[in-house]
Amino acid sequence: VGFVCSMSSRYTTTASVPIKFQRVTRNDGKGYSNQTGIFTAPVGGLYHFYWSLLTYASKPVAIDLKHNGNLVGRAYFQGLPKYESTSNNLYLRLNKDDKVYLQASGDGGVIHENLYTIFGGELIRY
């Protein structure tokens, strides 16, 4: 079980809305939906999640990893007038049907497309 996805076009953040990564290059177990931006665990176990994002001259914004609506991880852009990259990763124990997704803390952050911005996760063990 695992997924990797990226942006197919630039994305401007909206607070409190899951970020939808349109390009899915791996979706073993079919847990990730590019329609909702949400990964739903097909089986319980220990998962590893990672995200890396690139922005340019964006507003300051945090990109939060949410587990069933609760903040569990964060990566931050300062909003500098140049390219900025941020990333984070963590392990989560999930139950079947738990939800995991990325969500911006504010509006107006501009995230770059292609492989400059990725989100992924995989089951490490049951």
Side-chain angles (χ1 to χ4, degrees):
V1 174
F3 73 99
V4 178
C5 50
S6 61
M7 291 290 181
S8 60
S9 60
R10 285 188 183 170
Y11 177 84
T12 302
T13 63
T14 302
S16 304
V17 174
I19 298 172
K20 297 175 188 173
F21 290 79
Q22 307 92 355
R23 183 179 294 134
V24 181
T25 54
R26 178 179 166 217
N27 199 8
D28 302 336
K30 303 195 184 325
Y32 181 77
S33 167
N34 63 353
Q35 300 300 311
T36 64
I38 297 172
F39 172 77
T40 303
V43 296
L46 181 65
Y47 286 80
H48 177 238
F49 291 94
Y50 52 92
W51 61 108
S52 179
L53 303 101
L54 179 72
T55 188
Y56 181 81
S58 182
K59 291 184 177 181
V61 66
I63 305 298
D64 299 333
L65 187 72
K66 299 286 188 110
H67 173 213
N68 293 333
N70 299 307
L71 176 64
V72 293
R74 176 170 273 181
Y76 185 74
F77 292 112
Q78 293 180 348
L80 301 175
K82 61 181 181 178
Y83 286 103
E84 272 187 282
S85 180
T86 189
S87 62
N88 205 344
N89 75 97
L90 56 80
Y91 294 89
L92 285 174
R93 180 151 310 275
L94 302 182
N95 295 312
K96 184 181 186 309
D97 297 324
D98 278 4
K99 312 282 190 217
V100 176
Y101 53 93
L102 290 178
Q103 180 176 296
S105 66
D107 297 334
V110 179
I111 298 171
H112 280 268
E113 70 276 18
N114 296 321
L115 297 177
Y116 296 115
T117 297
I118 62 168
F119 175 39
E122 58 193 347
L123 176 67
I124 301 300
R125 71 171 178 245
Y126 292 100

